[in-house]
């Protein structure tokens, strides 16, 4: 007896077949696929910004006595992404 409650049961579906991506052929002889590599200047300023973010985050924690710790993970993740890949 379920006393008026609706009870659901979930069953796992069989996974659909996932198509395997096939690398594209070069479409024209005039175009070549190259991997993007940021310039040295972009890498330098990204690293400078990351150092400033980490330093500012640590200074905020010292000034607030640990009260600003809630945003540390997001700040460190942003700094990581600026240094190692945009």
């Amino acid at each position: 007896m379920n006393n008026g409650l609706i009870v659901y049961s979930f069953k796992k579906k069989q996974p659909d077949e996932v198509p395997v991506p096939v690398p594209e052929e070069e479409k024209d002889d005039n175009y070549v696929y190259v991997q993007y590599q940021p310039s040295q200047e972009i890498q330098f300023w990204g690293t400078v910004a990351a150092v400033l973010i980490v330093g500012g985050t640590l200074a905020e924690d010292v000034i607030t006595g640990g009260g600003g710790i809630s945003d540390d993970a997001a700040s460190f993740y942003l700094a990581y992404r600026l240094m190692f890949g945009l």
Side-chain angles (χ1 to χ4, degrees), residues 2-21:
N2 60 9
N3 296 328
L5 295 176
I6 299 173
V7 179
Y8 294 98
S9 64
F10 297 97
K11 295 181 182 178
K12 186 175 181 182
K13 289 174 45 177
Q14 294 293 331
D16 297 332
E17 288 187 28
V18 178
V20 178

Side-chain angles (χ1 to χ4, degrees), residues 41-58:
E41 185 176 357
I42 292 174
Q43 288 179 342
F44 172 75
W45 289 111
T47 303
V48 168
V51 168
L52 290 174
I53 288 171
V54 169
T57 301
L58 295 176

Side-chain angles (χ1 to χ4, degrees), residues 3 32 38 63 66 80 86:
N3 296 328
V32 178
I63 291 170
Y80 171 80
L86 295 172

